[in-house]
Amino acid sequence: MALRACGLIIFRRRLIPKVDNSTIEFLLLQASDGIHHWTPPKGHVDPGENDLETALRETQEEAGIKASQLTIIEGFRKELNYVAREKPKTVIYWLAEVKDYNVEICLSHEHQAYRWLGLDEACQLAQFKEMKAALQEGHQFLCSTVS
């Protein structure tokens, strides 16, 4: 059976758009171990938790962002399936916007750095094609639903 993890693709909108008018920035965290890969906050489902509860708990543990500081975006849920450390893994992501553009990020020991990045930069750091696709689909979803 595949390992199951859940997380949030966290974003904010820049207050002053750059010339390309792309105002969405994604939060990526750099792992402290392994290949020091960059991903949104995520983690394994604990017994008795549902998937979204896991995503919210992991976000608070890994980035210091509480559920009350986020708005979950309705209608977007992305499931990634891949092999990690020679075991199948499923990760489910939702989109969440921080309510405060300048929200304080407080990393756990699991991560050594964080960055807010536009889509292209986030995809460059993400490395894995499944994660890049999730970021691209999230961005496309946001751009198609913003009034």
Side-chain angles (χ1 to χ4, degrees), residues 127-141:
Q127 294 179 314
F128 300 109
K129 67 177 192 245
E130 295 88 355
M131 191 68 251
K132 290 180 187 184
L135 290 167
Q136 290 165 340
E137 288 175 35
H139 190 270
Q140 185 176 9
F141 181 85

Side-chain angles (χ1 to χ4, degrees), residues 19-147:
V19 283
D20 63 356
N21 284 332
S22 61
T23 62
I24 297 167
E25 294 177 326
F26 295 101
L27 175 65
L28 293 183
L29 311 179
Q30 186 180 34
S32 299
D33 65 351
I35 58 171
H36 303 295
H37 61 288
W38 292 83
T39 65
K42 68 176 185 323
H44 296 121
V45 178
D46 283 347
E49 262 183 341
N50 70 38
D51 291 343
L52 187 55
E53 287 169 346
T54 298
L56 291 166
R57 176 183 53 77
E58 288 289 342
T59 297
Q60 183 166 350
E61 288 177 6
E62 295 185 356
I65 302 173
K66 298 175 183 162
S68 61
Q69 296 173 289
L70 297 165
T71 301
I72 304 294
I73 305 303
E74 294 291 322
F76 183 89
R77 180 182 178 277
K78 177 69 179 168
E79 184 172 312
L80 281 61
N81 294 288
Y82 57 93
V83 175
R85 297 185 174 125
E86 300 181 18
K87 293 180 183 171
K89 187 169 187 176
T90 298
V91 182
I92 299 166
Y93 283 108
W94 289 265
L95 278 170
E97 184 171 17
V98 292
K99 294 177 181 176
D100 176 4
Y101 180 86
N102 294 310
V103 66
E104 182 180 353
I105 305 300
C106 182
L107 297 176
S108 74
H109 69 279
E110 295 179 41
H111 295 92
Q112 61 186 14
Y114 74 90
R115 290 183 64 188
W116 289 101
L117 301 158
L119 178 62
D120 291 343
E121 295 169 291
C123 286
Q124 286 174 2
L125 273 188
Q127 294 179 314
F128 300 109
K129 67 177 192 245
E130 295 88 355
M131 191 68 251
K132 290 180 187 184
L135 290 167
Q136 290 165 340
E137 288 175 35
H139 190 270
Q140 185 176 9
F141 181 85
L142 292 169
C143 289
S144 67
T145 56
V146 172
S147 54

